[in-house]
Amino acid sequence: MSVGVQRALSAYGKQGLEATIESASPGQLVVMLYDGAIKAIHLGKLHMLNGEIAEKGASISKAIAIIDEGLRISLDKEQGGELAENLEALYFYMTGKLFEANLDNNPDLLDHVLELLTDLKEAWESITAAPVPVAPEAGAAAPAPDRGTLSYGRA
């Protein structure tokens, strides 16, 4: 592939990412941060297993930056209360485990953090994918329940 084609694809990829970011909801942006951290850790583990020390360090450092400078910084402790405080503590825990994994070349610690991030990402995906209920207008008949979707409480 020529250098020109590579530059064009890179520019296209950046424009596509920028458009996705601009149109994403705050919840979708959080999911994107989780995706980025998960991918960086997977790459770091691959480099770790292949003995590629510099690349391992760069990938794990990228994951740490996403968790610390993206996810943790975006927490709203006033509005989020105890949940935000618990997430902040979990993010600190995960970055510590990533540092430890990097220093000790411990892929098990990477797997542990991957599991935590994946669980959190799935929770955010379920929140952002849930349709927002629209209140019926006054006097309007309630629509029939959609039996094809997940319900909570009533079927």
Side-chain angles (χ1 to χ4, degrees):
M1 185 178 316
S2 74
V3 173
V5 171
Q6 288 177 339
R7 285 185 188 152
L9 286 174
S10 176
Y12 176 77
K14 287 179 185 175
Q15 288 174 348
L17 178 60
E18 288 172 7
T20 301
I21 290 170
E22 288 176 10
S23 65
S25 71
Q28 291 168 326
L29 291 173
V30 170
V31 171
M32 292 171 71
L33 288 170
Y34 283 125
D35 273 335
I38 289 168
K39 288 176 185 175
I41 294 170
H42 277 297
L43 191 55
K45 182 177 177 182
L46 178 68
H47 291 307
M48 182 183 287
L49 296 174
N50 288 331
E52 301 161 344
I53 303 303
E55 294 86 352
K56 170 202 71 163
S59 295
I60 293 174
S61 293
K62 181 177 181 179
I64 290 169
I66 291 170
I67 293 168
D68 193 47
E69 298 169 15
L71 293 167
R72 189 183 64 78
I73 295 291
S74 67
L75 292 172
D76 183 345
K77 294 180 199 162
E78 285 183 27
Q79 197 169 23
E82 186 179 348
L83 177 60
E85 289 177 18
N86 291 339
L87 279 171
E88 182 176 48
L90 185 58
Y91 294 152
F92 276 124
Y93 172 80
M94 288 190 281
T95 57
K97 290 300 171 188
L98 290 173
F99 275 121
E100 188 179 338
N102 192 20
L103 289 174
D104 298 341
N105 282 320
N106 187 336
D108 293 335
L109 289 176
L110 294 179
D111 289 336
H112 175 60
V113 174
L114 280 169
E115 185 178 334
L116 294 171
L117 286 170
T118 301
D119 289 347
L120 289 169
K121 177 189 166 216
E122 289 172 358
W124 273 98
E125 285 175 330
S126 69
I127 292 168
T128 58
V132 177
V134 177
E137 292 182 28
D146 181 2
R147 303 283 182 203
T149 60
L150 179 64
S151 68
Y152 295 94
R154 295 187 301 205

